[in-house]
Amino acid sequence: MNHAAADSLFLRACRREAVAQTPGWLMRQAGRYLPEYRSIREKLTFLELCTRSEVAAEVTAGTVRRLGVDAAIVFADILLPLVPMALGLTYEKGDGPRIAAPLRTGADVAKLPSFDADGELGYVGETIRLTRGDVGTATPIIGFAGAPFTVASYAIEGGSSRNYVHVKTMMYRDPATWDALMHYVVDMTVAYLNMQIAAGADAVQLFDSWVGCLSIGDYARYVQPHLARLVARITPGTPVILFGTATESLLQAERDTGASVIGFDWRVDLAATWERIGHDVAIQGNLDPVVLFAGRDHVVEETRKVLAAAAGRPGHIFNLGHGILPETPVDNVLALVDAVHAYEHR
Ligand code: 1CP
């Protein structure tokens, strides 16, 4: 256990302890909106950047210094496990990830290789160790993985999707294959996240970015039990943040997975929704990332509204409701971080 980080605002908020100031970090805080990141990406492909731990750690730590945020998030991607899963992952310039050999049948799932997350994704652990050496013991480091539904959605659809037709077809027509895939992804994700924790991650976030496409009934049947098994196997004492978008109807079920912190996207009313799911769970969110394209005064005003809605209750971590977009003005991001730190609850 890293004791200096344990007293950080971020980890205290994860544990719902009272804090003098609300901690904040931003999903996708390192990325193409930062000129420093773009210049590194001119020399390396995205996968090269992720696998070269010394560069990935510099991006992780450099971003914390540049923004003054309260936590580092290891520079990696939710789709990296698709490489040892041998699905033919590539990142195409401009239009995101592509999977050459998507999973569609029981035979495809049965053929998935078993792999050792320590070995084949060990470079992510190395990035965490190098980041710790750089940021010191007081800055918490967040490890992460895609949540099983969202990872499976890329593996089955072969990339981004609008309606998740192939995913839902598998769920409805071949639930045994869906369940087998969920078991595989849960085992892999537990090993991957516990490896990140052993390397020094103080908390882990599960990105279930696209799970909001499901009805509550389908979530309860096809996703929630797998997530609950996953959360129960994370190294004890490590906060688990569960994030998704368009999840308003799923938040209570997300909470019932045992996750320590529930992510809110910007669509929900923070105060009313926290009240509804219970103040006995920590929450993270929830400024609309597109507000960062407004004028600076509007950014500050909307940031303060989010903080006011949380009303200084223990257990709020400030964040966006989804990741920072590539064209976001950097000055507005800096103004947002200043506004979070300057805020005083009365
Ligand atoms: O340089 C580039 O062109 C690549 C852009 C990029 C970056 C900067 C990708 C490709 N991934 C990342 C890093 C990344 N991705 C981080 C680490 C750093 C940080 O937060 O500072 C994290 C946490 C992610 C998580 C991630 N990857 C998610 C979940 C968050 C979200 O935005 O919903 C998802 C869905 C992905 C898949 C992915 N990887 C990359 C892209 C462009 C996408 C999204 C594709 C799509 O819309 O389907």
Side-chain angles (χ1 to χ4, degrees):
M1 182 61 171
N2 163 14
H3 292 282
D7 287 331
S8 64
L9 295 171
F10 169 76
L11 285 171
R12 290 178 60 89
C14 288
R15 299 191 299 261
R16 289 190 305 107
E17 292 168 12
V19 285
Q21 188 186 78
T22 302
W25 66 281
L26 305 171
M27 289 184 279
R28 300 276 205 113
Q29 60 195 18
R32 275 177 291 177
Y33 77 102
L34 283 175
E36 301 89 314
Y37 176 84
R38 290 196 301 271
S39 79
I40 290 173
R41 277 281 282 109
E42 279 168 18
K43 294 166 218 117
L44 297 172
T45 67
F46 179 66
L47 276 175
E48 281 169 346
L49 170 50
C50 290
T51 52
R52 291 203 193 165
S53 298
E54 70 292 348
V55 191
E58 172 49 37
V59 169
T60 307
T63 301
V64 174
R65 272 193 291 276
R66 174 84 147 107
L67 303 181
V69 283
D70 296 295
I73 179 156
V74 61
F75 193 84
D77 192 66
I78 64 164
L79 300 177
L80 297 176
L82 270 52
V83 175
M85 284 167 75
L87 300 183
L89 171 69
T90 52
Y91 289 91
E92 310 288 334
K93 246 199 168 60
D95 48 24
R98 282 276 159 277
I99 287 95
L103 302 171
R104 295 285 159 80
T105 66
D108 295 339
V109 172
K111 275 200 310 245
L112 284 169
S114 63
F115 69 90
D116 164 20
D118 261 10
E120 286 174 271
L121 297 167
Y123 58 86
V124 176
E126 184 59 12
T127 301
I128 291 171
R129 282 186 287 273
L130 293 171
T131 299
R132 175 66 67 211
D134 191 330
V135 301
T137 53
T139 302
I141 300 176
I142 304 168
F144 74 91
F149 173 85
T150 293
V151 171
S153 79
Y154 282 98
I156 295 169
E157 298 289 340
S160 308
S161 176
R162 180 175 285 270
N163 294 314
Y164 301 91
V165 171
H166 293 293
V167 178
K168 293 184 183 182
T169 301
M170 184 187 285
M171 285 175 173
Y172 302 146
R173 296 181 83 109
D174 192 358
T177 293
W178 172 260
D179 283 338
L181 178 58
M182 286 294 97
H183 278 268
Y184 178 97
V185 175
V186 167
D187 288 348
M188 178 273 286
T189 307
V190 167
Y192 182 39
L193 289 175
N194 286 341
M195 178 273 283
Q196 294 183 46
I197 294 164
D202 300 290
V204 292
Q205 176 154 326
L206 286 165
F207 284 92
D208 218 349
S209 306
W210 313 133
V211 77
C213 71
L214 294 179
S215 69
I216 178 64
D218 284 352
Y219 185 84
R221 158 68 182 86
Y222 298 104
V223 174
Q224 205 268 358
H226 300 292
L227 269 170
R229 289 190 297 111
L230 194 169
V231 170
R233 289 166 61 195
I234 296 301
T235 307
T238 312
V240 177
I241 307 167
L242 179 58
F243 165 77
T245 68
T247 49
E248 182 156 18
S249 69
L250 310 179
L251 290 169
Q252 186 66 48
E254 284 192 352
R255 197 227 129 127
D256 293 341
T257 61
S260 347
V261 183
I262 302 300
F264 286 4
D265 83 359
W266 68 94
R267 296 172 181 91
V268 302
D269 177 305
L270 186 148
T273 308
W274 197 2
E275 167 114 52
R276 173 168 68 80
I277 70 162
H279 290 128
D280 54 344
V281 69
I283 62 156
Q284 176 174 280
N286 74 338
L287 185 71
D288 184 345
V290 182
V291 164
L292 286 165
F293 290 79
R296 181 197 171 98
D297 290 350
H298 190 76
V299 171
V300 169
E301 192 183 312
E302 292 299 310
T303 300
R304 294 172 62 87
K305 276 190 203 162
V306 170
L307 292 158
R313 267 179 219 290
H316 176 224
I317 298 158
F318 183 92
N319 208 316
L320 302 176
H322 200 176
I324 301 189
L325 294 163
E327 314 296 331
T328 302
V330 178
D331 284 350
N332 276 352
V333 178
L334 297 173
L336 176 157
V337 175
D338 281 348
V340 172
H341 290 157
Y343 193 82
E344 285 174 32
H345 289 284
R346 267 181 278 261

